[in-house]
């Protein structure tokens, strides 16, 4: 397995790291998720963490990670607007997998945000709300890391279609790893059932994609799985994932 052991050196030049990522990027496309996770944990040690909102894809990744390494870092962006079912699932994750979720919060509480920006910012300016409660907290968290692991898939949105399993995240300045980028929703649910992985109860109530309470609704028959996110607006992403597309990326599920 080709490695980037030198990336452990925090003084390594950013351009050298980016070159190492480019050299390994295409090779990594053939790796199974477990192999990518093993590589990430070996290469970056405590400098890598899984980012999760505890959707069904995230639960697959957490379960896989637990089979690769007993102790791994896991963080979430707690907007303080999450569903009770999401918080319940977080408790289950800590109990089942023996990990402590690193909860990252916005600089202002919901009450402070309302005082400064007015009520229901998520309705008037959802991009600003996402920036305050997700993007800025993520930026702070990623400044502590050398690499982050996500559960995004290429077929989720148009903007994610070019995601590689291994990338240089130019926006946040570190390595980004997407082990199940080429998986389909069918593969995700097959894994969940095969390994009896817990998942958010809202998935059983027509919530295929789950975010904050104010900006998530159940989807109707025939609707896109992400139609329940920021419904009624053109917004499709919270702004965390800016993709540098692969050249001729493999098709999902290949």
């Amino acid at each position: 397995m080709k490695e980037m052991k030198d990336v452990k050196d925090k003084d390594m030049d950013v351009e050298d790291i980016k070159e190492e990522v480019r050299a390994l990027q295409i090779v990594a496309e053939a790796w199974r998720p477990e192999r990518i996770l093993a590589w990430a944990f070996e290469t970056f040690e405590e400098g890598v963490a899984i980012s999760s909102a505890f959707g069904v894809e995230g639960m697959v990744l957490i379960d896989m990670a637990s089979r690769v390494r007993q102790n791994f870092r896991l963080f979430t962006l707690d907007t303080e607007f999450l569903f009770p079912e999401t918080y319940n699932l977080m408790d289950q994750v800590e109990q089942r997998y023996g990990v402590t979720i690193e909860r990252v919060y916005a600089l202002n509480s919901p009450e402070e945000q309302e005082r400064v920006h007015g009520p229901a910012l998520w309705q008037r300016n959802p991009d600003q709300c996402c920036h305050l409660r997700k993007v800025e907290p993520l930026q702070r968290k990623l400044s502590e890391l050398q690499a982050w692991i996500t559960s995004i898939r290429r077929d989720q949105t148009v903007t994610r279609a070019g995601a590689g399993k291994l990338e240089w995240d130019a926006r946040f300045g570190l390595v980004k790893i997407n082990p199940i980028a080429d998986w389909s929703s069918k593969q995700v649910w097959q894994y969940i059932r095969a390994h009896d992985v817990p998942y958010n109860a809202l998935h059983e109530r027509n919530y295929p994609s789950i975010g904050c309470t104010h900006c998530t609704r159940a989807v109707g028959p025939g609707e896109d799985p992400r139609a329940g996110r920021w419904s009624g607006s053109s917004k499709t992403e919270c702004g965390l994932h800016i993709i540098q597309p692969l050249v001729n990326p493999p098709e999902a599920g290949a």
Side-chain angles (χ1 to χ4, degrees):
M1 182 187 300
K2 183 175 180 180
E3 300 174 351
M4 292 196 302
K5 290 184 181 292
D6 288 342
V7 174
K8 294 177 185 177
D9 181 358
K10 291 185 181 295
D11 295 325
M12 186 178 180
D13 184 81
V14 169
E15 291 303 317
D16 291 338
I17 297 175
K18 291 164 68 173
E19 184 57 37
E20 290 281 356
V21 169
R22 282 192 291 267
L24 193 56
Q25 190 174 40
I26 300 303
V27 175
E29 285 298 314
W31 290 356
R32 292 176 57 83
E34 295 86 350
R35 185 177 183 186
I36 296 177
L37 287 168
W39 172 85
F41 294 145
E42 180 182 351
T43 301
F44 299 103
E45 298 178 341
E46 292 301 307
V48 63
I50 296 173
S51 168
S52 184
F54 305 99
V56 67
E57 291 87 1
M59 292 307 303
V60 165
L61 206 58
I62 291 167
D63 189 80
M64 285 181 174
S66 74
R67 298 168 189 273
V68 173
R69 180 175 177 173
Q70 188 172 18
N71 297 312
F72 57 92
R73 294 183 66 181
L74 171 64
F75 75 88
T76 192
L77 305 174
D78 188 344
T79 64
E80 300 182 83
F81 293 139
L82 304 180
F83 286 90
E85 291 85 350
T86 303
Y87 289 114
N88 289 338
L89 181 59
M90 290 165 66
D91 291 339
Q92 291 181 57
V93 166
E94 291 189 321
Q95 293 170 9
R96 173 163 175 161
Y97 298 107
V99 298
T100 299
I101 299 168
E102 302 171 26
R103 305 186 187 210
V104 186
Y105 297 96
L107 293 174
N108 293 331
S109 68
E111 294 76 18
E112 290 169 330
Q113 177 173 301
E114 181 170 337
R115 179 172 54 81
V116 174
H117 299 283
L121 180 62
W122 52 86
Q123 291 180 348
R124 294 179 289 103
N125 193 337
D127 284 336
Q128 185 181 18
C129 190
C130 281
H131 180 83
L132 293 171
R133 310 214 71 79
K134 289 187 175 183
V135 178
E136 192 282 330
L138 177 67
Q139 190 169 21
R140 276 189 282 115
K141 188 63 179 178
L142 295 186
S143 69
E144 306 172 5
L145 302 171
Q146 293 172 279
W148 64 311
I149 302 171
T150 87
S151 58
I152 63 172
R153 296 187 294 105
R154 291 177 187 140
D155 66 0
Q156 288 174 317
T157 66
V158 173
T159 57
R160 299 180 184 186
K165 292 185 180 181
L166 177 64
E167 305 175 326
W168 173 256
D169 190 330
R171 183 179 189 186
F172 296 112
L174 77 171
V175 178
K176 185 177 182 181
I177 302 156
N178 309 308
I180 59 171
D182 60 345
W183 276 34
S184 64
S185 178
K186 180 179 179 180
Q187 286 175 288
V188 169
W189 281 105
Q190 284 176 337
Y191 184 98
I192 291 285
R193 297 186 179 103
H195 297 282
D196 193 27
V197 178
Y199 57 87
N200 197 314
L202 290 173
H203 289 311
E204 300 287 357
R205 304 206 291 272
N206 299 320
Y207 284 80
S209 180
I210 303 166
C212 296
T213 55
H214 305 300
C215 302
T216 308
R217 65 163 175 82
V219 301
E223 283 192 301
D224 184 272
R226 288 182 67 86
R229 302 293 298 277
W230 304 285
S231 182
S233 75
S234 60
K235 185 175 175 65
T236 61
E237 292 275 4
C238 54
L240 305 183
H241 301 289
I242 306 299
I243 306 299
Q244 289 290 103
L246 283 173
V247 177
N248 299 320
E251 295 182 0

